[in-house]
Amino acid sequence: MIIQDIEIVNFGPFFGVQKVNFNNGGLGVHLIRGRNGDGKTSIQRSILWCLYGIVKDRNGKDIKPTSLLNYTARKRDIYDFYVNLSFRHEGSTWLLHRRMQGKSHSDREYTTHMNLSLTKNGEVITNPAQVIQRMIPSDISRFFFFDGEMLSDYEELLYTDVDTKFLKNSIESVLGIPYLKTSREDVRIVQKMIESQRNKILRRLGGKEFDEILKQYDEVQGNIDQCEKNIEAMGNQLTELETDLFSKKRDLSKIDSIKKLSLDRIRLESEIKNLQSKREMELTKRSQYTSQLYKKVLTGTSQSLISKLQGMHDRVMEKYDKKQKLLGEKDLISKGMAEQKCRTCGTILNEAKLNDLRSQLREIDIKIDALTEIPEPNLEFEEYAEVLRKVISFDGRKESIIEIQNRIDNVDYEIATKKSQLNSIRESLAGQDEEEPKRIEMQIRDIEHEKGRIEGSMTAERDTLNEFRKLKSELDQKITSIDQSELKVLGKRIETTKAIIQILEEAIGEYREQKKLEVQNEATQIFRQIKSKDSFDHLQINDQYGLGIVTNSGTVLDRGELRSSGEEQVVALSLIGALNKCANTDVAVFMDTPMGRLDEVISEKVLRFIPKLAEQVTLLVTGKELRHGDEKFLEGKIMSDLTVKHINEEEGSKIYHTREGDTV
Amino acid sequence: MKEEEIIEAVKKINARNGKPVDEELLAQIIALVMKNPIDEDRQRCQSQILEIINQKKGEAD
């Protein structure tokens, strides 16, 4: 399946029509960039919803239809959302359309009025849901549309003491093992159909001997049916217990890590606080730069304003100084006249000199009067001039503001990432108490005890079943010995079905081992291309398809605590890659946040490997995962480069072709 | 597609068997199941398997 176009309408964060067109007919590598919360995962979910009508959240729970409708659509009473998916599959062009439309905003309304249609080369196909299930069974979709945040699930496969049946079954589905199991069960039912046909003939023949055989046969068959039913019921009980056990053990390991989580919480809280202070500082800086940048525009005006102000100020100061000098002179003369003595040399002043001084005083008064209009010098002048000088000297470039904005964006991203980590830690820590581990341990013991009891009963039931089958076989021989051609033919057919069942039984085990080895080899090949350390040699698969790292010296790192989270992700990606290579079907691969836990060196290796993963690979990545310039590692295989961006609450998210300078 | 691969694996085991079953019959059954893998297909698929077995192991056999 190669996806060519997706049309998303009023789904999740997308209001109205949003389209994703994959160039090159869908072949090659396609990028969908976006920040956390912009809508990348929703694109992937829209595909899964279109295919299967169900979308699960990261806790594995179904998302309700009412939660799928876009917020703005709901606000505007538009209770209608749909997804169109066009793709190529086995040489044909397909168009899948799924729509939910209701008169009101209720899950029931949407589910009742769900519409699904499928066309193949323009012709309408009946039973579209079944056709899609035949193409890609929903239980294997997780390997083709996978979520990087969920890669830790694959780590559970390593723990052989934890039964991860559901995951193991999905892996076996990808590898095609259920085909053999279904074939065996179908042939088993066919065997019963032929037996029933034969018994009818026997009844028709009549006679005491035949009646006796038939009676015994019916009895044995009844017992076999009952045994099979019991074994099936016990098998279901065991699956439930194993799932329960898995979840309890997971809870317990979570509790064990509470101390570490608490420390992580404190560290994250402090880091977020520091980042928020950093953000505040950058915001202030941005505001200053913006204001200065506006002022910069006024540089010319400022310069002439300073000159004018300086001229005015100088003139005022000159007159002011002159007036002050005259006032000093007046004071000196006045005091001399009062004392009738020269203030400089002490000579006694006669009347003529006094008259001369009076005349001087009058002249000075006239001059002072002329200067009376002169105001006091403006003391704020220097302050204003300094502000204007700063405006001129400011090296305000638009780039500086962009740099600050980039720093703010990076801080925002870091805060968002850390907050999300903090929230998940808080969720894990919520409601924990000291007695909880003991309680869980007791529950685990109870479950294991019950599991052991059922397993014992199952073994006994299987023994009984084998006994009944032996009896049935003996009766079969008796019937075959009856000289009746029709019965002989049916007998041969029954023998054939038995032989086929036996071959298929053997084939299941053998094919499983063959595929397991293949997965191990493929995963090792991928691992060697993307591994983080030279000392890692190869991968080793266990019965649950978990992969252990084997070092050059032969040490097996098969426990999570022996490997870093980045190494875990590399191993998980190797498994995913190997399953895609070994899968019995060719499907497009969508990888949501595949490199979240990887450093730059490993990311580069993963990127170089990605084009070889499948015919169509779509990467849904953040700017932290695919850094500027990383595109070169995809070696010219990028066929589409799209960005999804959340505009605002009203408009929701939009998908567009990535433009130069877009930051995500 | 891996249809051939699965059929080959089954044929290999059949060949080892003391009393091998008709290879073509095995291949037909597996191919049929692979084309009809879902629960809704079971009844129809089983009827077709019965038909194939009836044809292969008919009265003339």
Side-chain angles (χ1 to χ4, degrees):
Chain A
M1 174 188 276
I2 302 292
I3 297 176
Q4 296 179 311
D5 297 298
I6 315 165
E7 190 179 34
I8 308 168
V9 181
N10 298 339
F11 182 95
F14 304 106
F15 176 59
V17 183
Q18 287 298 306
K19 289 182 180 179
V20 180
N21 302 312
F22 295 107
N23 296 335
N24 196 33
L27 297 172
V29 178
H30 308 274
L31 298 177
I32 299 181
R33 306 169 194 250
R35 296 184 204 199
N36 290 339
D38 274 347
K40 297 188 303 298
T41 306
S42 294
I43 295 178
Q44 182 150 308
R45 283 181 179 159
S46 75
I47 303 171
L48 289 167
W49 179 75
C50 189
L51 288 170
Y52 307 114
I54 289 172
V55 195
K56 291 191 185 296
D57 63 16
R58 281 179 170 149
N59 295 319
K61 288 182 184 150
D62 288 358
I63 300 175
K64 292 185 291 182
T66 41
S67 303
L68 295 175
L69 180 73
N70 173 264
Y71 169 78
T72 309
R74 186 193 166 181
K75 245 176 46 176
R76 297 186 187 178
D77 296 328
I78 306 167
Y79 309 123
D80 180 13
F81 58 99
Y82 63 89
V83 175
N84 286 331
L85 198 65
S86 43
F87 56 91
R88 299 270 311 159
H89 182 69
E90 293 181 346
S92 300
T93 302
W94 303 72
L95 177 67
L96 182 65
H97 165 84
R98 189 182 291 271
R99 186 174 201 154
M100 277 188 172
Q101 217 172 359
K103 284 179 187 148
S104 63
H105 187 61
S106 82
D107 290 326
R108 203 175 160 184
E109 265 289 301
Y110 290 131
T111 313
T112 316
H113 298 102
M114 189 178 76
N115 179 269
L116 178 69
S117 66
L118 178 69
T119 61
K120 180 184 178 186
N121 296 328
E123 279 181 36
V124 178
I125 299 289
T126 51
N127 298 325
Q130 294 173 13
V131 174
I132 294 296
Q133 279 293 342
R134 285 185 198 110
M135 273 183 206
I136 334 171
S138 51
D139 64 337
I140 67 163
S141 62
R142 63 182 297 150
F143 300 111
F144 300 101
F145 300 91
F146 73 84
D147 185 346
E149 300 286 321
M150 307 288 282
L151 283 178
S152 58
D153 277 6
Y154 301 100
E155 291 160 25
E156 310 287 355
L157 291 168
L158 286 167
Y159 304 100
T160 41
D161 54 337
V162 179
D163 203 310
T164 48
K165 208 163 249 168
F166 58 95
L167 199 49
K168 186 181 163 185
N169 287 345
S170 303
I171 293 176
E172 296 211 328
S173 264
V174 172
L175 301 174
I177 293 160
Y179 290 132
L180 291 171
K181 289 185 181 172
T182 309
S183 301
R184 180 193 60 191
E185 290 316 304
D186 278 358
V187 176
R188 201 163 263 162
I189 288 166
V190 168
Q191 182 194 333
K192 281 186 185 170
M193 286 156 82
I194 303 171
E195 284 167 356
S196 152
Q197 218 178 325
R198 184 189 60 179
N199 294 354
K200 269 185 200 160
I201 295 170
L202 216 52
R203 269 189 200 94
R204 207 174 57 214
L205 289 172
K208 202 180 167 190
E209 192 192 353
F210 293 164
D211 285 347
E212 188 54 34
I213 292 172
L214 272 174
K215 201 180 154 198
Q216 285 177 23
Y217 200 95
D218 286 345
E219 206 174 301
V220 170
Q221 188 59 54
N223 287 331
I224 288 174
D225 290 346
Q226 192 54 50
C227 279
E228 282 174 348
K229 254 186 210 167
N230 293 346
I231 290 169
E232 195 187 339
M234 283 188 265
N236 291 339
Q237 265 179 294
L238 272 180
T239 308
E240 271 176 37
L241 286 174
E242 277 156 1
T243 312
D244 207 12
L245 196 62
F246 174 70
S247 109
K248 297 277 176 219
K249 285 191 176 175
R250 188 189 259 182
D251 287 348
L252 198 62
S253 73
K254 273 184 189 166
I255 290 173
D256 285 345
S257 61
I258 275 181
K259 277 185 191 166
K260 189 185 166 295
L261 283 177
S262 301
L263 288 173
D264 283 349
R265 187 188 61 188
I266 295 166
R267 178 183 53 80
L268 280 169
E269 279 169 348
S270 147
E271 282 173 4
I272 290 171
K273 211 173 163 189
N274 289 342
L275 283 167
Q276 277 165 340
S277 313
K278 195 174 165 188
R279 187 177 190 276
E280 283 304 313
M281 278 165 60
E282 294 291 354
L283 281 176
T284 313
K285 215 183 273 178
R286 185 184 67 181
S287 146
Q288 284 170 349
Y289 265 61
T290 314
S291 137
Q292 283 170 337
L293 189 65
Y294 282 124
K295 285 176 188 167
K296 175 84 178 163
V297 178
L298 304 170
T299 301
T301 320
S302 300
Q303 261 166 343
S304 91
L305 213 58
I306 290 171
S307 309
K308 271 186 194 164
L309 279 172
Q310 189 68 53
M312 279 165 64
H313 182 71
D314 290 350
R315 282 194 295 279
V316 169
M317 282 306 288
E318 194 186 328
K319 287 180 181 173
Y320 177 76
D321 290 346
K322 206 170 167 185
K323 187 177 169 183
Q324 289 301 108
K325 199 176 160 193
L326 287 168
L327 284 168
E329 276 177 39
K330 185 184 170 183
D331 184 50
L332 205 66
I333 294 169
S334 300
K335 281 180 180 162
M337 279 173 72
E339 290 171 11
Q340 296 193 338
K341 198 163 79 176
C342 177
R343 298 279 291 178
T344 323
C345 62
T347 314
I348 302 295
L349 301 171
N350 58 18
E351 196 53 32
K353 192 65 188 170
L354 283 170
N355 284 338
D356 185 35
L357 287 175
R358 276 185 202 107
S359 150
Q360 273 186 44
L361 212 54
R362 272 194 301 276
E363 273 177 41
I364 287 170
D365 277 340
I366 290 163
K367 283 179 185 170
I368 288 172
D369 278 351
L371 292 169
T372 303
E373 293 306 310
I374 302 305
E376 292 294 311
N378 186 352
L379 296 177
E380 286 175 337
F381 162 76
E382 268 309 317
E383 204 182 312
Y384 293 143
E386 188 53 35
V387 169
L388 289 166
R389 279 188 205 106
K390 272 186 188 165
V391 169
I392 294 163
S393 67
F394 171 64
D395 182 26
R397 291 172 298 114
K398 195 178 156 195
E399 290 73 25
S400 308
I401 294 182
I402 293 172
E403 280 164 22
I404 294 174
Q405 188 56 49
N406 285 342
R407 285 204 295 274
I408 293 172
D409 288 346
N410 285 338
V411 170
D412 281 346
Y413 181 84
E414 274 188 72
I415 291 175
T417 313
K418 287 187 193 297
K419 274 190 175 168
S420 135
Q421 289 169 356
L422 188 63
N423 284 340
S424 82
I425 288 177
R426 278 181 179 150
E427 274 171 31
S428 307
L429 289 174
Q432 297 294 348
D433 64 55
E434 287 177 16
E435 291 303 307
E436 188 69 359
K438 282 182 199 161
R439 273 199 297 274
I440 296 179
E441 273 167 5
M442 275 179 67
Q443 287 166 349
I444 288 174
R445 270 200 298 276
D446 288 348
I447 296 171
E448 278 173 342
H449 181 263
E450 180 63 4
K451 203 173 151 236
R453 190 190 66 76
I454 294 174
E455 278 168 347
S457 306
M458 237 173 138
T459 311
E461 196 71 13
R462 279 204 185 101
D463 289 344
T464 315
L465 178 65
N466 285 338
E467 285 302 315
F468 285 128
R469 280 186 176 153
K470 249 189 222 168
L471 273 175
K472 192 181 160 192
S473 222
E474 284 166 18
L475 289 168
D476 277 338
Q477 273 175 4
K478 270 191 191 171
I479 297 169
T480 312
S481 66
I482 298 168
D483 192 21
Q484 219 282 343
S485 64
E486 218 176 341
L487 286 179
K488 283 197 190 298
V489 170
L490 291 172
K492 271 184 192 169
R493 288 175 189 167
I494 292 165
E495 286 311 308
T496 306
T497 55
K498 282 182 185 170
I500 296 172
I501 291 165
Q502 198 196 325
I503 287 161
L504 289 171
E505 193 77 60
E506 277 179 55
I508 292 165
E510 203 157 303
Y511 187 68
R512 182 186 280 129
E513 288 311 308
Q514 179 190 323
K515 294 307 277 186
K516 212 182 274 175
L517 203 63
E518 241 177 76
V519 170
Q520 176 179 287
N521 294 341
E522 283 291 346
T524 293
Q525 269 196 26
I526 298 167
F527 179 71
R528 282 181 175 152
Q529 293 172 53
I530 63 177
K531 65 182 179 176
S532 56
K533 288 180 189 142
D534 287 339
S535 58
F536 292 163
D537 186 64
H538 65 274
L539 295 176
Q540 183 177 292
I541 202 159
N542 68 18
D543 279 345
Q544 306 205 94
Y545 300 89
L547 291 165
I549 299 175
V550 184
T551 65
N552 292 334
S553 57
T555 310
V556 184
L557 309 178
D558 59 355
R559 302 290 295 190
E561 62 264 33
L562 298 173
R563 320 189 308 195
S564 72
S565 64
E567 282 155 6
E568 289 291 346
Q569 192 159 9
V570 166
V571 173
L573 282 170
S574 303
L575 175 64
I576 296 288
L579 291 175
N580 276 284
K581 292 267 174 201
C582 302
N584 57 29
T585 181
D586 295 318
V587 182
V589 173
F590 275 67
M591 305 171 93
D592 184 9
T593 334
M595 297 173 291
R597 283 195 263 161
L598 303 180
D599 64 28
E600 289 172 33
V601 180
I602 308 294
S603 293
E604 178 189 327
K605 291 179 181 176
V606 171
L607 286 170
R608 286 189 191 281
F609 159 72
I610 273 168
K612 296 171 220 157
L613 183 62
E615 278 191 302
Q616 180 183 29
V617 184
T618 303
L619 295 178
L620 299 125
V621 285
T622 64
K624 290 273 167 188
E625 286 179 281
L626 191 81
R627 298 161 191 93
H628 184 68
D630 279 357
E631 295 83 354
K632 65 176 179 285
F633 303 133
L634 291 161
E635 293 161 355
K637 299 286 186 328
I638 302 172
M639 296 301 156
S640 317
D641 191 346
L642 304 164
T643 293
V644 53
K645 196 164 191 169
H646 183 73
I647 309 297
N648 53 44
E649 206 172 78
E650 197 65 20
E651 292 181 67
S653 295
K654 307 264 182 212
I655 302 163
Y656 56 86
H657 290 282
T658 304
R659 295 182 291 251
E660 190 67 32
D662 271 343
T663 52
V664 291
Chain B
M1 172 48 210
K2 318 284 156 85
E3 188 178 299
E4 298 79 14
E5 192 189 311
I6 295 182
I7 292 171
E8 270 318 302
V10 176
K11 278 183 182 174
K12 219 166 82 184
I13 291 157
N14 186 43
R16 279 202 319 251
N17 200 324
K19 284 182 181 171
V21 178
D22 180 351
E23 271 191 2
E24 205 188 324
L25 175 63
L26 279 172
Q28 275 181 305
I29 291 172
I30 292 162
L32 193 61
V33 171
M34 288 183 83
K35 278 188 188 70
N36 302 279
I38 61 173
D39 288 350
E40 287 83 350
D41 298 330
R42 296 290 36 91
Q43 214 175 344
R44 188 165 40 89
C45 192
Q46 286 152 9
S47 304
Q48 286 179 5
I49 293 174
L50 177 65
E51 209 171 300
I52 297 169
I53 292 175
N54 285 349
Q55 276 170 8
K56 292 268 174 196
K57 296 281 161 189
E59 285 173 48
D61 188 42

